[in-house]
Amino acid sequence: MVLDNDRYVLSGGVDPLQLIEEYGCPLYVYDSAIIQRQYKRMENAMKVKRLQLNYACKALSNINILKLFRKMGSGLDTVSVQEVSIGIRAGFDPQDIIFTPNCVSLEEIEEAVEYGVKINIDNTSILEQFGQAFPDTPVCIRINPHIMAGANAKTSVGHIDSKFGISFHQMPLVHRIVEATGLKVEGVHMHTGSDILDPEVFLSGAEILLNIAKEFPDLDYIDFGSGFKVAYKPGDVETDIEELGSRISERFNKFCEEYGKDLKLMFEPGKFMVSEAGYFFAQVNVIKQTTSTVFAGVDSGLNHFIRPMFYNAYHKITNISRPKGKARFYTVVGYICETDTFGINRQMTELQEGDFICMHNAGAYCFSMASNYNSRYRPAEVLVHEGQAYLIRKRENMEDLLRTQVEAPIFDEVPAVK
Ligand SMILES: *Cc1c(COP(=O)(O)O)cnc(C)c1O
């Protein structure tokens, strides 16, 4: 979104205020041009013979977004059999989908096998059971390289106490299981979690994975997961994808030479692909001045947008109703009966009740984490593509809220007249 004279516009000149008028508020809007730009950047950064980028669709799982990725040539990274199912429905070839669950049942993995997708296993118990049940289905093994990515314990999943992956110290057990069951290992994988700031950390994890890869003679791919960071505020460090790409490609190509085969290099970015493409619009209901603070209370809350509260994430906030004006400070809060602060002491142009604000970087882990808490409807989603806006999810209504509720025939008797 850029400021064009006196108004904010999305790509193709689309006016967000018009979208709000048409589709209501609060509203999620995604700009496909930004998703395409990010995909191309990553694709161009990796200079290898065989590359597959598997979009981690838990970040933003609307089927239209999945179709956009399919059109760009992307694969899909999925963490539940429901995501697998949506991916198939979006037209992905099953072999372009990888199923990377954690702590799911063998039954769920069996369902994924029936879909024909790639299977990634992250614990030795399931590996053994899987090997006995499906010795002929090739698998990928998720390794925990024990590195700490970023400082956030909620998003770092590759450290020693993490529940994810098989510790690389357990490789003797993995080999014993593979030998005993006759399993074919076609890939090795690591995913260290979000927020990789330092290519060095990423490369040292990669080194561990490559060492393990050497021990498996029949590999087809090596999957380095994700963890690519994007900038949320000015001055934020984002993963230098061009630098990282050139270094990892060089290392990977050298490895393939030693291994004697052109393996496929895989990544599974979520946030990097869609974060910046998303905008979340809300309306200011109340300006409330207390003794210490000026609050701007909006028609949304942690039910629609939980990242600031759950991860302490910073999301830039803009007053789009008044692009020009004097700057004031506001603490932007939601309408949920919990502390749901979007941003503390944020400077923006003077807000009035009824104004619309935009929260930026709302593409990844925003709508997909939305709930119906406080019996609120989840918002509509709009995709802006080549200058056109498309409604890709309707706002919920009371029928949606009640659809799965069953009114048991016990409380409906007519009250007795006294
Ligand atoms: C969530 C997830 C990703 C995507 O992580 P981002 O930080 O959004 O890029 C990739 N791989 C796996 C296995 C995941 O669970």
Side-chain angles (χ1 to χ4, degrees):
M1 199 169 66
V2 294
L3 199 51
D4 177 16
N5 291 319
D6 279 351
R7 62 190 191 115
Y8 285 101
V9 290
L10 299 161
S11 79
V14 174
D15 180 349
L17 290 169
Q18 253 171 29
L19 296 181
I20 291 168
E21 203 177 304
E22 188 165 351
Y23 301 107
C25 196
L27 184 68
Y28 274 102
V29 177
Y30 312 114
D31 188 337
S32 70
I34 296 176
I35 297 176
Q36 287 164 329
R37 180 196 74 198
Q38 292 296 91
Y39 186 85
K40 277 274 158 233
R41 268 185 75 191
M42 190 174 274
E43 195 177 49
N44 292 338
M46 305 299 162
K47 308 211 179 313
V48 296
K49 282 219 182 87
R50 297 173 67 211
L51 174 70
Q52 186 169 344
L53 304 179
N54 295 320
Y55 166 56
C57 67
K58 72 177 185 292
L60 177 60
S61 51
N62 188 293
I63 192 163
N64 298 278
I65 300 294
L66 269 53
K67 288 180 182 177
L68 172 68
F69 274 97
R70 195 202 66 212
K71 272 218 113 162
M72 293 189 293
S74 177
L76 219 55
D77 177 68
T78 57
V79 293
S80 69
V81 75
Q82 289 78 12
E83 285 187 351
V84 169
S85 176
I86 298 173
I88 298 286
R89 196 163 162 157
F92 283 89
D93 183 322
Q95 275 297 298
D96 289 337
I97 299 179
I98 185 161
F99 181 47
T100 302
N102 174 254
C103 291
V104 303
S105 64
L106 187 63
E107 288 72 35
E108 185 168 338
I109 295 177
E110 282 177 28
E111 282 180 61
V113 170
E114 273 160 37
Y115 277 115
V117 302
K118 290 195 161 84
I119 307 290
N120 192 356
I121 293 183
D122 97 325
N123 68 83
T124 52
S125 167
I126 292 284
L127 188 69
E128 186 181 323
Q129 295 172 62
F130 186 91
Q132 291 180 70
F134 306 100
D136 301 323
T137 305
V139 289
C140 176
I141 293 176
R142 178 173 184 170
I143 306 295
N144 183 338
H146 303 320
I147 57 172
M148 186 74 177
N152 193 332
K154 271 196 181 136
T155 53
S156 184
V157 295
H159 58 89
I160 191 140
D161 278 338
S162 164
K163 67 167 185 160
F164 297 95
I166 299 173
S167 164
F168 71 91
H169 297 302
Q170 280 188 299
M171 291 318 291
L173 177 56
V174 169
H175 283 293
R176 204 154 292 147
I177 294 169
V178 168
E179 258 166 53
T181 58
L183 258 181
K184 181 168 178 261
V185 178
E186 63 171 358
V188 287
H189 166 276
M190 71 170 196
H191 170 64
T192 51
S194 289
D195 292 5
I196 286 176
L197 298 166
D198 184 356
E200 267 338 299
V201 177
F202 195 87
L203 283 157
S204 65
E207 218 46 60
I208 293 169
L209 193 63
L210 290 176
N211 260 322
I212 287 167
K214 276 190 233 158
E215 302 166 7
F216 294 96
D218 299 317
L219 292 182
D220 183 46
Y221 57 88
I222 298 181
D223 186 339
F224 288 102
S226 180
F228 306 105
K229 188 176 158 57
V230 297
Y232 279 74
K233 56 173 183 270
D236 258 5
V237 192
E238 77 169 340
T239 306
D240 186 339
I241 194 70
E242 285 73 22
E243 154 89 7
L244 184 73
S246 110
R247 293 186 57 186
I248 194 100
S249 304
E250 195 183 322
R251 182 67 192 92
F252 186 77
N253 289 332
K254 189 167 148 253
F255 178 83
C256 288
E257 232 170 76
E258 290 160 11
Y259 191 81
K261 184 175 169 189
D262 282 324
L263 297 174
K264 197 189 269 185
L265 175 61
M266 303 211 305
F267 289 97
E268 39 191 44
K271 183 186 279 183
F272 184 83
M273 293 295 177
V274 297
S275 174
E276 291 162 275
Y279 304 93
F280 181 57
F281 299 101
Q283 186 167 30
V284 177
N285 284 337
V286 183
I287 302 287
K288 177 172 181 173
Q289 179 133 23
T290 66
T291 42
S292 58
T293 307
V294 183
F295 288 104
V298 302
D299 65 346
S300 180
L302 59 75
N303 52 328
H304 298 150
F305 195 104
I306 202 173
R307 293 192 78 256
M309 307 88 190
F310 191 53
Y311 298 118
N312 216 3
Y314 182 103
H315 286 263
K316 190 176 127 190
I317 306 175
T318 317
N319 177 3
I320 61 161
S321 293
R322 269 165 244 283
K324 286 186 175 158
K326 72 177 167 201
R328 304 283 305 264
F329 288 92
Y330 299 93
T331 289
V332 180
V333 295
Y335 61 8
I336 291 293
C337 297
E338 303 271 348
T339 299
D340 57 348
T341 306
F342 289 108
I344 296 172
N345 261 340
R346 295 300 184 81
Q347 193 181 39
M348 65 193 88
T349 52
E350 184 157 10
L351 278 172
Q352 291 181 18
E353 292 176 357
D355 281 358
F356 295 101
I357 59 163
C358 173
M359 303 193 213
H360 298 253
N361 279 72
Y365 308 105
C366 292
F367 187 93
S368 64
M369 284 185 151
S371 75
N372 292 117
Y373 188 45
N374 280 201
S375 296
R376 296 287 186 182
Y377 307 141
R378 283 180 298 172
E381 295 182 291
V382 166
L383 178 64
V384 172
H385 183 67
E386 294 172 357
Q388 288 272 6
Y390 301 88
L391 181 67
I392 58 170
R393 187 190 299 267
K394 290 186 282 192
R395 184 176 312 283
E396 287 176 334
N397 57 29
M398 186 51 72
E399 228 173 89
D400 294 319
L401 274 193
L402 290 173
R403 192 171 42 231
T404 52
Q405 298 191 34
V406 179
E407 292 189 72
I410 40 181
F411 305 119
D412 287 341
E413 68 279 7
V414 182
V417 183
K418 281 195 185 144

